[in-house]
Amino acid sequence: MTKHSQRKESEIVLLVRQGDQSAFEELYQRYVDKMLGFADAFMGNPDEAEEVVQIIFVNVWEKRQQLDPAKSIAAYLFKSVKNQILNRLRSIKRHCDLSEIPAESQMDQQDTLQRICFQESKLQAMNRIGEMPEVQQRVFMLSRVEGMSNKEIANKLKLSVRTIEHHLYLGKKFFNSKNLDRSIFLFILTYIIW
């Protein structure tokens, strides 16, 4: 496994925009395994997942001038995976007579779309959590994702229980803000927070 440099994502994107092949290789190494896992989880076929991911990286290199270093490249890459999968599903749907496909397979396609939407919401929720201040983010993740009690978190982070409660209050307040997309809020409400 290749060791990644300590360069920030935005720095790497800026270098890729300038045609730096080593920066592109670093970007590739940082995300290829995660993207392959993400694609394979929905497609159930490692070869097709690899093809989808390779197409995305080819497109990134060909359209590198359009990359915005101010935006999250991870979000862009995973959204590209989702879009490629949806395009493939639409293509399959256009080229098939649905009456010839068993009902179980049709349900699988719907299930795949639901899983993609679920994963996209999860990714967006995790990106939102990443926007929180560092301590608040750690407290929130320990509580809502790992299921630790306030007392356990306080002991682990060497903070008071009251401070933990305050950070959780601020985290909930953050997710109740007007800027949060309603679908992300519902995902967080259903699967992470409560």
Side-chain angles (χ1 to χ4, degrees):
M1 174 165 263
T2 306
K3 185 178 179 185
H4 302 300
S5 76
Q6 298 299 317
R7 288 192 278 204
K8 292 182 180 177
E9 188 179 83
S10 58
E11 210 178 313
I12 294 170
V13 171
L14 191 58
L15 290 169
V16 169
R17 278 186 63 157
Q18 296 168 358
D20 186 321
Q21 291 182 344
S22 67
F24 180 75
E25 176 66 24
E26 184 175 342
L27 180 72
Y28 179 86
Q29 291 301 325
R30 278 191 186 187
Y31 293 104
V32 69
D33 290 336
K34 294 174 190 172
M35 291 170 64
L36 285 170
F38 184 72
D40 189 34
F42 296 110
M43 302 181 82
N45 183 329
D47 292 332
E48 284 188 38
E50 186 173 352
E51 186 177 334
V52 163
V53 171
Q54 293 305 321
I55 288 169
I56 291 165
F57 277 110
V58 168
N59 288 341
V60 165
W61 181 253
E62 289 175 350
K63 298 176 183 181
R64 62 187 175 273
Q65 295 294 324
Q66 298 171 15
L67 295 175
D68 185 352
K71 293 185 179 174
S72 168
I73 190 70
Y76 173 78
L77 292 171
F78 284 96
K79 187 170 187 172
S80 296
V81 171
K82 178 199 78 157
N83 290 339
Q84 276 288 331
I85 293 169
L86 289 174
N87 288 343
R88 283 176 178 258
L89 289 173
R90 285 186 201 107
S91 176
I92 290 168
K93 196 173 182 179
R94 272 194 300 264
H95 294 97
C96 295
D97 179 6
L98 291 180
S99 63
E100 295 175 9
I101 299 174
E104 310 86 56
S105 296
Q106 291 178 25
M107 294 302 290
D108 287 342
Q109 286 180 359
Q110 182 63 30
D111 186 46
T112 299
L113 290 173
Q114 288 173 346
R115 286 188 291 168
I116 289 171
C117 291
F118 177 82
Q119 288 294 339
E120 181 179 358
S121 294
K122 183 177 178 181
L123 181 63
Q124 289 176 359
M126 297 311 276
N127 285 340
R128 289 291 184 155
I129 291 170
E131 294 172 10
M132 293 177 168
E134 188 177 338
V135 174
Q136 185 178 327
Q137 180 182 347
R138 278 192 78 199
V139 168
F140 193 85
M141 293 295 287
L142 290 171
S143 174
R144 303 306 189 218
V145 177
E146 294 184 27
M148 293 175 73
S149 71
N150 291 355
K151 188 174 180 178
E152 291 171 325
I153 298 168
N155 289 336
K156 181 173 183 152
L157 300 181
K158 298 185 183 359
L159 298 171
S160 71
V161 173
R162 181 69 186 120
T163 301
I164 300 303
E165 290 170 352
H166 182 68
H167 281 297
L168 290 174
Y169 165 77
L170 292 175
K172 286 181 184 179
K173 188 174 177 182
F174 174 82
F175 283 113
N176 286 325
S177 70
K178 300 181 239 181
N179 299 333
L180 187 61
D181 182 315
R182 186 160 185 77
S183 64
I184 298 170
F185 178 74
L186 290 174
F187 170 80
I188 293 166
L189 181 72
T190 306
Y191 294 99
I192 295 179
I193 296 179
W194 290 276

